[in-house]
Amino acid sequence: MAQARDASHEAVVERQRLEDEKRWVELEDARRSGLRTSGSSCEVGSWLELTEQLQDASMSAIGLRPGLYEATSTLHICRPVRIFAVVRAWNRGIVDISCTAPVAMVVELQDGADRVAVAGVQVRQSSPKCRVGIEVTRGSLLLDGVSVELTVGGGDCCVKATGHATHLEMLGRCTVRHWGGLGVGLKVLSRAHVEVNNSVFVGNEVAAVEVAGGATTTLRHCTITGGLSHGVRVQGVSTLTMQYCSVLCNGGTGVVIEDSEGVVEKCQVHENRGSGVSVHATVQHVRLVENVLYGNEEAQIVVGGSAAPVIEGNTVRDGKHHGIACVDAAKGMIHGNEVSGNRAAQVVVQDDASTTVRGNTIRDGTNNGISIEGSARPVMVDGNSLLGNNHDQVFVRGSVALLLQGNTIRNGGHMGIVCTPEVQGVIKGNDVSGHEDAQVVLFGNTPAVEGNRIHDGGDFGIYVCSNARPTIIGNTLYGNATPQIATVGSVELAAPGNSIHDEDTESVFSKAHRLRTLGWLGLSPATNAATRKRARRAYE
């Protein structure tokens, strides 16, 4: 049932992606029609001819006949022009620009000038002297169906945009490759604006896309794969928008957002050797919405520093570590996600993180469902469904300020809720059932347990130990092992107003609001030892 729900959600996202891609292809075709110039044009067959024709301001379009163009010097483009590959039915060869200069093309237009458009060419590095394929430092550049490839060690980046008066648009069908050097596919710096549609980034060694210095970048329908490090990295108070992209099989993290803002929406991020998406530092305005993440080797989503993203409506499944991890002093909202099948705790909140976990389905994990550790405060876990996780469904340890309310916690392989000493707060209004061991386990100075429904477990309903002084008020317990509430050690227990559907236990707790017990209530020594062992294992 749950797997079918996941498949249905992914199918909906895929259908939306295809519909959106179709709209963007139609827009691309319309843009291409608008790029056709009515001014004079010419055709050239060599790099020298191209350089000479650029000096003629009357030429608004220059066609490149198929063949090899040896770029021994940098082509400086300082006026609006369209440079395109000439394609005829009888000659469909490629325009191959082989660069030995530091940069193949540099665009630098005057303020208010029209754009430069480059279409249908291949730019490749053929000497270590070539550091950049195409660069725009001022004005507007449009790339359409352009391939840029650096294959010799030492290259800086394939495509570069820098400067606040710069706008780069990769209209579609572009390919960016960087092999054999510590370089970047697309580098966006110094408040430049970049839009990339329907393009592919392959094998880039530092990052496929790197954005810094207050720049703004939008990626739509792009594939980012095969890099030795991160897929996309955004830092330095920049802005990223990603929609319908696939980020897969990179050597580091799929998407890294540091001290920046943006939206990652309806993307597929999978099988990266680091995390899927990492949000760090002082980020406040980041949204991760309706993405599908699976098979990443580290936490599929990790939030650190004092970041406070909204993580909503994602499918986070089958990871090799945590599903979602909030560390350091992270904040934010984890809402409405499907988290399943991850090998470590499915959702973890630790250190000084202060996170709200609300309305998620967290199921079928190999380890805990939710783990909260350290001095996280406050942490609200509200209205979630935790189903069938193989270890404890909710495990809380440390000086945590916890509000655990309104959750459905069912059919775990170990215990339902475990709170170790120093945990503070309230466990309220939850429905806990079907666990193999004790449904709720309390150590030390633990939270108040109020108004929960705790039923049909394979062991005790509530198990209290280790000099605990809990308050257990207004709960309904039935169908658990006798007694429904069990204690061990020196326990001072306040337990008024509980509805306990077991005659022996009910008679005990109906006679006093406070009961001090030294040892077990109604247990044989053998059961005593076995349950002590299980509780000790959970605490350790």
Side-chain angles (χ1 to χ4, degrees), residues 1 11 28 31 131-132 155 169 183 224 290 355 386 429 468 473 503 540:
M1 180 74 175
E28 287 173 20
R31 292 289 306 281
R131 308 288 298 180
V132 179
E169 181 178 0
I224 299 163
E290 293 188 32
T355 306
L386 293 101
I473 303 174
E503 290 185 2
E540 291 171 353

Side-chain angles (χ1 to χ4, degrees), residues 212-402:
T216 300
T217 299
T218 299
L219 306 173
R220 294 189 185 93
H221 297 284
C222 293
T223 298
I224 299 163
T225 186
L228 295 185
S229 187
H230 306 312
V232 178
R233 183 174 181 179
V234 185
Q235 56 188 341
V237 200
S238 301
T239 302
L240 171 70
T241 301
M242 290 183 68
Q243 296 176 318
Y244 298 107
C245 293
S246 294
V247 185
L248 67 151
C249 300
N250 295 286
T253 295
V255 181
V256 178
I257 303 175
E258 299 175 338
D259 277 327
S260 299
E261 62 182 35
V263 176
V264 180
E265 181 180 11
K266 295 176 180 171
C267 296
Q268 295 221 1
V269 185
H270 56 96
E271 298 168 290
N272 297 286
R273 296 193 67 179
S275 296
V277 179
S278 173
V279 183
H280 273 276
T282 58
V283 179
Q284 301 298 320
H285 302 291
V286 171
R287 292 176 57 84
L288 310 179
V289 182
E290 293 188 32
N291 303 286
V292 177
L293 299 98
Y294 62 90
N296 298 289
E297 293 198 9
E298 297 181 10
Q300 308 236 48
I301 298 174
V302 60
V303 183
S306 57
V310 173
I311 303 171
E312 184 172 15
N314 302 279
T315 298
V316 184
R317 61 175 175 84
D318 302 323
K320 297 180 180 180
H321 207 263
H322 299 303
I324 302 173
C326 296
V327 301
D328 302 329
K331 302 177 181 64
M333 170 73 74
I334 301 171
H335 176 253
N337 303 281
E338 289 273 347
V339 187
S340 65
N342 299 286
R343 293 186 186 176
Q346 306 243 53
V347 176
V348 61
V349 180
Q350 63 186 35
D351 302 326
D352 296 318
S354 174
T355 306
T356 298
V357 182
R358 175 176 292 156
N360 305 279
T361 298
I362 303 168
R363 60 176 178 79
D364 301 328
T366 303
N367 204 288
N368 296 333
I370 299 176
S371 286
I372 305 170
E373 303 184 43
S375 54
R377 58 181 54 230
V379 178
M380 178 182 289
V381 180
D382 180 17
N384 304 280
S385 294
L386 293 101
L387 310 171
N389 296 289
N390 198 44
H391 208 261
D392 301 327
Q393 304 259 42
V394 179
F395 179 83
V396 190
R397 174 168 55 189
S399 56
V400 176
L402 173 69

